Amino acid sequence: MHIDTLKNLAVDALEELKARDITQLDVSKLTEVTDLMLIASGTSTRHVAALAQNVVEKAKASGLAPRGVEGGDNADWVLVDLGDVVVHIMLPEARALYDLECLWADLPN
């Protein structure tokens, strides 16, 4: 699946369930693990889990099995690995603590 299609699928799944502050990071020049990271916030652990589940379900419906999901029903951070796109869904507190946007921005190209 083309990376733009994959990104749109994930963003649509997040927006459908009202994810907050969706951010896109192009990390293709910084790591070989993935090309794009999406970071979004949920309002509760239940919301974070529902957002992650929706991303997984939309991916599967499009014929793409996620490579992995880390975190669980009561997690403050769930990661959905779609290969070229990795989706981080976090509570605002966890997002502020780990500050992935700043972490990845500070790495040399």
Side-chain angles (χ1 to χ4, degrees), residues 11-24:
V11 169
D12 289 348
L14 293 168
E15 289 177 342
E16 182 177 334
L17 295 185
K18 310 289 190 237
R20 296 184 175 176
D21 304 320
I22 301 169
T23 302
Q24 169 184 318

Side-chain angles (χ1 to χ4, degrees), residues 9 12-14 16-17 49-59:
L9 179 146
D12 289 348
L14 293 168
E16 182 177 334
L17 295 185
L51 289 165
Q53 185 61 36
N54 202 41
V55 171
V56 169
E57 288 173 6
K58 299 294 182 183

Side-chain angles (χ1 to χ4, degrees), residues 12-80:
D12 289 348
L14 293 168
E15 289 177 342
E16 182 177 334
L17 295 185
K18 310 289 190 237
R20 296 184 175 176
D21 304 320
I22 301 169
T23 302
Q24 169 184 318
L25 301 175
D26 181 349
V27 296
S28 59
K29 292 181 174 47
L30 302 173
T31 181
E32 294 180 13
V33 174
T34 191
D35 290 334
L36 187 67
M37 288 190 187
L38 295 175
I39 305 170
S41 295
T43 58
S44 66
T45 55
R46 177 177 270 175
H47 189 214
V48 167
L51 289 165
Q53 185 61 36
N54 202 41
V55 171
V56 169
E57 288 173 6
K58 299 294 182 183
K60 286 181 178 178
S62 294
L64 175 71
R67 292 184 178 179
V69 178
E70 298 294 329
D73 290 336
N74 292 316
D76 57 356
W77 181 358
V78 178
L79 179 146
V80 180

